[in-house]
């Protein structure tokens, strides 16, 4: 997941400081992403060095001054380019499941049928858990989470079909 483009997206409609951006990120995508505050500030510094964001200092009565970031025209162009570019997926041949099955065939340590059945059972358990999580989601307020869970379900189903 690209923190760079997530931050640019969050700044598109509203400026914000690092902590606010992290909170908005988690409100949209959920707390499972573990976005490190240091990663937010490091990314914002890089984005500013690249001319994609700029900041204004907001003086505080107590505590340090806040840097409030906003998107530059170059940042908006970069963001629009990202949204209109296909995602480059990693090479699927390096998938661990494929490697495990290929190695069981080549080594003879374990029959591939046993490896496949073990993996099928694990995928079925995971699919069941994800379907239950999806059923507990609130349709009105958790659309990004629902989309994410739908994608996970489809990937699990595809792996199960491949193992059949």
């Amino acid at each position: 997941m690209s923190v760079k483009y997530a931050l640019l997206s969050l700044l598109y409609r509203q400026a914000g400081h690092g902590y606010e951006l992290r909170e908005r990120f988690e409100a949209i995508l959920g707390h499972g992403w573990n976005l490190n505050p240091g990663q937010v500030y490091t990314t914002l510094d890089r984005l500013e060095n690249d001319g994609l964001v700029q900041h204004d200092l907001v003086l505080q009565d107590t505590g340090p001054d806040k840097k409030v970031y906003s998107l530059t025209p170059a940042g908006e162009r970069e963001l629009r380019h990202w949204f209109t570019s296909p995602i480059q997926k990693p090479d699927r041949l390096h998938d661990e499941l494929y490697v495990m099955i290929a190695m069981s065939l080549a080594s003879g340590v374990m029959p591939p049928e046993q490896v496949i059945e073990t993996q099928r059972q694990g995928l079925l358990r995971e699919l069941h858990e994800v379907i239950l999580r999806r059923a507990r989601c609130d349709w009105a307020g958790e659309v990004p989470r629902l989309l994410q869970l739908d994608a996970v379900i489809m990937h699990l189903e595809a792996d199960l079909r491949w193992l059949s």
Side-chain angles (χ1 to χ4, degrees):
M1 200 290 296
S2 175
V3 173
K4 169 185 176 177
Y5 293 107
L7 293 175
L8 290 174
S9 297
L10 292 171
L11 291 169
Y12 179 74
R13 288 196 178 177
Q14 181 182 359
H17 58 83
Y19 182 79
E20 280 177 331
L21 294 169
R22 182 172 179 256
E23 290 293 310
R24 289 179 4 212
F25 176 91
E26 289 184 354
I28 293 168
L29 295 177
H31 295 280
W33 287 87
N34 297 324
L35 184 58
N36 182 313
Q39 187 178 13
V40 171
Y41 291 105
T42 301
T43 304
L44 287 169
D45 286 343
R46 274 193 231 120
L47 292 172
E48 189 165 33
N49 288 337
D50 293 342
L52 303 176
V53 301
Q54 60 191 14
H55 79 267
D56 292 316
L57 275 180
V58 175
L59 303 176
Q60 302 288 339
D61 291 335
T62 59
D65 298 337
K66 274 197 257 185
K67 284 185 177 181
V68 177
Y69 292 88
S70 59
L71 198 60
T72 64
E76 184 175 342
R77 283 191 302 278
E78 177 75 15
L79 182 59
R80 288 182 184 281
H81 176 72
W82 178 63
F83 277 119
T84 58
S85 299
I87 293 172
Q88 299 297 313
K89 297 271 185 178
D91 185 358
R92 297 285 181 195
L93 295 178
H94 292 113
D95 181 270
E96 187 172 0
L97 181 56
Y98 166 76
V99 172
M100 183 182 286
I101 293 168
M103 289 299 119
S104 75
L105 283 164
S107 70
V109 173
M110 182 148 319
E113 299 82 15
Q114 187 175 347
V115 172
I116 289 169
E117 186 54 31
T118 300
Q119 295 309 312
R120 279 181 89 276
Q121 293 305 314
L123 289 168
L124 285 168
R125 277 192 301 279
E126 188 177 353
L127 179 61
H128 178 73
E129 291 169 11
V130 173
I131 288 171
L132 289 176
R133 261 189 275 162
R134 188 183 184 287
R136 291 189 294 263
C137 283
D138 171 23
W139 278 91
E142 298 184 74
V143 173
R145 180 74 174 146
L146 286 166
L147 292 171
Q148 178 190 38
L149 292 172
D150 281 346
V152 171
I153 289 168
M154 287 184 238
H155 284 282
L156 289 168
E157 289 173 340
D159 282 348
L160 283 164
R161 275 192 310 277
W162 181 67
L163 290 175
S164 294

